[in-house]
Amino acid sequence: MAEPQRGAPTVVAELRDGPLQGRSVEAEAVEGRPPKTIDVDDADRGTCRYCLADWTQTGGSATYTFLYRV
C-alpha cells in the first residue's frame, strides 16, 4: 500500500478478515472520509483489496472486509 502523503488526513483501516485479518494500516482519507477500497501489500509480495465493511463509520478508524487478491 502506498504511504499516505505527509500532512494528508488519514484513518486507521482495521482489516476484519481475509489473509491480513487483524492488521491495521493507515489510509489517506478521501474528501474527509475513509476510502471505499484500499489495496494492502501482503507478505507474499502480492496485494489484497479490502472494502469498507459499513458505509457509515465515524471516528479515526474504519473497518474493512476482504474482497480479493489483485
Side-chain angles (χ1 to χ4, degrees), residues 11 13 15 18-20 23 25-27 32 38 40 47-48 52 58 69:
V11 295
L15 309 180
L20 304 176
R23 284 185 54 192
V25 296
E26 279 193 48
I38 57 172
V40 184
T47 302
C48 296
L52 276 173
T58 60
R69 292 184 185 269

Side-chain angles (χ1 to χ4, degrees), residues 2-69:
E3 290 291 318
Q5 293 180 1
R6 183 173 218 124
T10 60
V11 295
V12 175
E14 299 171 352
L15 309 180
R16 177 188 291 175
D17 57 9
L20 304 176
Q21 180 178 357
R23 284 185 54 192
S24 295
V25 296
E26 279 193 48
E28 190 172 333
V30 177
E31 297 180 0
R33 297 185 174 116
K36 293 176 185 174
T37 61
I38 57 172
D39 292 339
V40 184
D41 296 333
D42 67 11
D44 297 330
R45 297 181 189 210
T47 302
C48 296
R49 181 158 292 161
Y50 281 79
C51 72
L52 276 173
D54 298 304
W55 288 110
T56 305
Q57 300 200 33
T58 60
S61 65
T63 305
Y64 285 79
T65 188
F66 178 71
L67 285 174
Y68 52 82
R69 292 184 185 269

